[in-house]
Structures are given as C-alpha cells and as structure tokens.
Amino acid sequence: EIVLTQSPGTLSLSPGERATLSCRASQSVSSSYLAWYQQKPGQAPRLLIYGASSRATGIPDRFSGSGSGTDFTLTISRLEPEDFAVYYCQQYGSSRYTFGQGTKLEIK
Amino acid sequence: QVQLQESGPGLVKPSQTLSLTCTVSGGSISSGSYYWSWIRQPAGKGLEWIGRIYTSGSTNYNPSLKSRVTISVDTSKNQFSLKLSSVTAADTAVYYCASLTITMVRGVRHNWFDPWGQGTLVTVSS
C-alpha cells in the first residue's frame, strides 16, 4: 500500500497570503494518478487538481499543483476567505486508491 | 451534469450488514466514461476508499475490507449499491458515493473522483 503523508497537519495563514501544502508518498506515484481535493465542514470533498497539475473544471487559477515521484505540492497563490478548509491528496497505485490524512488550512 | 445521492439506514446493529444505495441522476450509469465508487470517512478523520464497480459489473475492493464488501450495480434503476457485512463500531462513518473518471489525457491514463454525493452518516450501535 502506498502511504501518503501530508504536511503540515495544520497551516495557519491570513487571507491574501500564499499557502504551500505538501504530500509525500511512501513510494513513487505516477503523476497522472495524483489528485487534490478540498473539503469544507459538512460537505463532500471537491476535486481541485488531477494529474498532479491540471485544474478541474471551474477551479480558480490561484490553485496550482506540482511535483513528481514521491513529492507533490498544492499551492494557493493568494488565499481567499473561502479557501480555508481541509485539503487531501489522493493517489492510485497497486490496484487501490489511498488518501493522505489531510492538511487543515485555518485562518490566522 | 451527473449528480449522486446516497440513501440507506443511518443506524446498523453490530454484526449486521450495512446496505447503502447511490442513485445517479443527470446521466446514465451505463456511460462507459465512469466507474462508480464508495468512500468513507469516520468523524474527524481522513478518507478511505472502499471499492469501485464498472457498468459491466467488474469490481475492485480495498484489500483491507475485501472480505466484507460487495458492490453491485442496477443499470435499470441507474443505481449502484454497497453491502458491508459483520459491521462493528469501527465502521461508523460518513459514506460517500463518487463517480470515478478513468480517461486518457494527452495520451496518459488519468483518474479522479468527481463528483461526489453529499454523504450519509451510518452509525453502528446496538
């Protein structure tokens, strides 16, 4: 099983600041199988990024993804109030899908 | 635009079988573009993939749950279902159904979960 470890667990920032979220895999992951999701309280996760760097339909361009191999990053260039949420990375490998434990992005 | 909605009992007794249904609207479940998945999330915790099914009935399950899980599809009702047997308190979670897209993008296979149902809380308790 490929384990995804996200860091930090909690990130405290102010609106307008830049957020950098990390997702590290226990073994190499195909970039095409790496996705990022946003989840707000009481809601289902929402797809943000697929293929490590492609934005899903309707996702603002302040969200960007990068990385390869075992290290992937989600960057939010300039935080808006609605961006404060929990973010998960997800991969497919060895015939199963796994998620990271999440990074909570909170208002400082 | 495809939408998904989970339904089923919110309370299940220990050792019994959890049964949920996901109804797909706005598109045909038989569309070859999608697989259909179940994912769960215990309160305050992360996401766990349970399994997926294709319209042909072909399934894949999370090895950690495989012995207790059955996912099936009913194309006539545009629904797919989850059965999880011998449940314990550890199976208490919000259960989501989701559409799993597996497709070629610029010649490379990609996959992602989108959209998701709103989720349904299932509590295992006597």
Side-chain angles (χ1 to χ4, degrees), chain B residues 23-81:
Chain B
T23 300
V24 179
S25 60
S28 171
I29 200 169
S30 299
S31 166
S33 303
Y34 303 115
Y35 284 68
W36 306 97
S37 266
W38 288 98
I39 296 161
R40 69 181 183 179
Q41 184 174 36
K45 296 187 178 181
L47 299 156
E48 180 180 34
W49 175 69
I50 300 170
R52 71 181 190 186
I53 189 165
Y54 192 57
T55 55
S56 64
S58 172
T59 54
N60 299 94
Y61 300 131
N62 188 325
S64 68
L65 297 168
K66 187 175 183 178
S67 64
R68 299 193 292 130
V69 173
T70 302
I71 297 176
S72 59
V73 64
D74 187 337
T75 56
S76 67
K77 295 182 179 179
N78 232 33
Q79 295 176 334
F80 63 106
S81 298

Side-chain angles (χ1 to χ4, degrees), chain B:
Chain B
Q1 181 175 342
V2 172
Q3 293 183 310
L4 295 86
Q5 177 69 59
E6 305 88 350
S7 60
L11 181 64
V12 181
K13 289 182 168 53
S15 80
Q16 293 191 342
T17 296
L18 177 160
S19 296
L20 295 174
T21 296
C22 182
T23 300
V24 179
S25 60
S28 171
I29 200 169
S30 299
S31 166
S33 303
Y34 303 115
Y35 284 68
W36 306 97
S37 266
W38 288 98
I39 296 161
R40 69 181 183 179
Q41 184 174 36
K45 296 187 178 181
L47 299 156
E48 180 180 34
W49 175 69
I50 300 170
R52 71 181 190 186
I53 189 165
Y54 192 57
T55 55
S56 64
S58 172
T59 54
N60 299 94
Y61 300 131
N62 188 325
S64 68
L65 297 168
K66 187 175 183 178
S67 64
R68 299 193 292 130
V69 173
T70 302
I71 297 176
S72 59
V73 64
D74 187 337
T75 56
S76 67
K77 295 182 179 179
N78 232 33
Q79 295 176 334
F80 63 106
S81 298
L82 169 69
K83 291 188 184 299
L84 181 64
S85 63
S86 305
V87 297
T88 68
D91 295 309
T92 295
V94 174
Y95 285 75
Y96 295 101
C97 58
S99 170
L100 171 61
T101 295
I102 299 179
T103 191
M104 301 298 283
V105 178
R106 295 184 292 277
V108 179
R109 188 176 295 273
H110 286 59
N111 61 41
W112 60 82
F113 295 103
D114 180 63
W116 300 53
Q118 66 184 28
T120 187
L121 174 62
V122 178
T123 301
V124 178
S125 175
S126 55

